[in-house]
Amino acid sequence: MNSIRTLTRRTALVAATATAAFLLAACGGGNGDDSGGGAHQGPHGSASASADAGAGSSSGNETGEKAHNSQDVAFAQGMIPHHRQALEMARLAADRSASAEVEDLAARIEKAQDPEITTMTGWLTAWGGEVPEPAASNASAGATEPMPGMDHSGHAGMPGMMDGQDMAELEKASGRAFDTMFLTMMVEHHEGAVEMAGTEKAQGRYAPAKALADDIVTAQNAEITEMNKLLGKLLGTK
């Protein structure tokens, strides 16, 4: 199923990018000035499916708001690498995007998710759980320094995560082609985060983690709507 979904998404990316390139050639540049919707005010994050064995399966004598379970550990251990990849994608926009709206969206994603990584790292440290290491770096083509986290094979099964080929293609793109690819990929990435957050809301125990998950669902669903509107403008469907 994952391979079918990946193939479908890649086919959609190729088609969308080709359409964007055709429109660019036919119509020239020009950015929309639609302000978009999704203010990144609250936390966004989400949870992974399984915690590391032995890391905080239940919290001993903890009770009340400090109590946590294995799902809370899984949430933090999954969302940290999920957020890190979103930051990688967002940081590419500054010198590749042709749209001020896309650049603004990317900046808001980075501003919201970077501190959330710190928060979730703090939870895992307090619980004695393992904090995920950044993915191994691969040297980017033509770059003097490696782009952090380009090897994503270890998180291939996580909802919404891009693989190394996806990230390499995004890094090589520019202009409207980049914007189309970025928005298409980030919609899927956000959908994965919302799915993970839903699991935490349903199965987690730690009150701050459940509150974070609720904020993620609200904020990232709003951004999915915003990104789909921007995609419609880029592709001339709205």
Side-chain angles (χ1 to χ4, degrees), residues 36-121:
H40 250 293
Q41 304 267 333
H44 322 49
S46 182
S48 165
S50 60
D52 225 328
S57 60
S58 191
S59 63
N61 296 324
E62 287 182 347
T63 58
E65 291 187 356
K66 291 186 177 180
H68 69 278
N69 62 15
S70 60
Q71 169 55 38
D72 299 316
V73 177
F75 174 76
Q77 288 179 332
M79 190 50 60
I80 286 172
H82 205 275
H83 271 25
R84 283 174 179 155
Q85 185 176 77
L87 297 187
E88 291 173 28
M89 295 166 66
R91 287 166 181 162
L92 291 173
D95 58 1
R96 290 168 174 80
S97 175
S99 166
E101 293 166 298
V102 170
E103 290 185 39
D104 176 68
L105 171 68
R108 283 185 277 126
I109 289 171
E110 182 176 359
K111 183 177 180 180
Q113 296 194 20
D114 201 12
E116 290 169 4
I117 293 173
T118 302
T119 296
M120 290 183 286
T121 298

Side-chain angles (χ1 to χ4, degrees), residues 43 54 148 165 171 196 204 213 215 223 237:
Q165 182 179 341
E171 187 184 8
M196 294 161 69
D215 287 335
E223 287 177 348
T237 59

Side-chain angles (χ1 to χ4, degrees), residues 60-221:
N61 296 324
E62 287 182 347
T63 58
E65 291 187 356
K66 291 186 177 180
H68 69 278
N69 62 15
S70 60
Q71 169 55 38
D72 299 316
V73 177
F75 174 76
Q77 288 179 332
M79 190 50 60
I80 286 172
H82 205 275
H83 271 25
R84 283 174 179 155
Q85 185 176 77
L87 297 187
E88 291 173 28
M89 295 166 66
R91 287 166 181 162
L92 291 173
D95 58 1
R96 290 168 174 80
S97 175
S99 166
E101 293 166 298
V102 170
E103 290 185 39
D104 176 68
L105 171 68
R108 283 185 277 126
I109 289 171
E110 182 176 359
K111 183 177 180 180
Q113 296 194 20
D114 201 12
E116 290 169 4
I117 293 173
T118 302
T119 296
M120 290 183 286
T121 298
W123 294 344
L124 290 172
T125 301
W127 297 336
E130 182 177 351
V131 177
E133 292 291 333
S137 299
N138 289 339
S140 301
T144 56
E145 302 220 353
M147 181 178 177
M150 286 298 291
D151 180 8
H152 301 282
S153 57
H155 306 293
M158 195 180 299
M161 286 289 280
M162 303 299 117
D163 62 22
Q165 182 179 341
D166 294 325
M167 295 297 290
E169 289 173 357
L170 183 65
E171 187 184 8
K172 292 175 184 176
S174 62
R176 285 196 182 188
F178 171 85
D179 293 332
T180 302
M181 190 178 297
F182 173 84
L183 292 169
T184 303
M185 291 168 65
M186 192 63 82
V187 165
E188 181 174 351
H189 203 269
H190 273 32
E191 288 172 344
V194 169
E195 178 183 338
M196 294 161 69
T199 301
E200 171 62 15
K201 287 178 64 178
Q203 301 176 17
R205 185 180 181 192
Y206 187 55
K210 289 167 72 72
L212 175 60
D214 189 58
D215 287 335
I216 289 163
V217 170
T218 300
Q220 295 206 14
N221 272 332

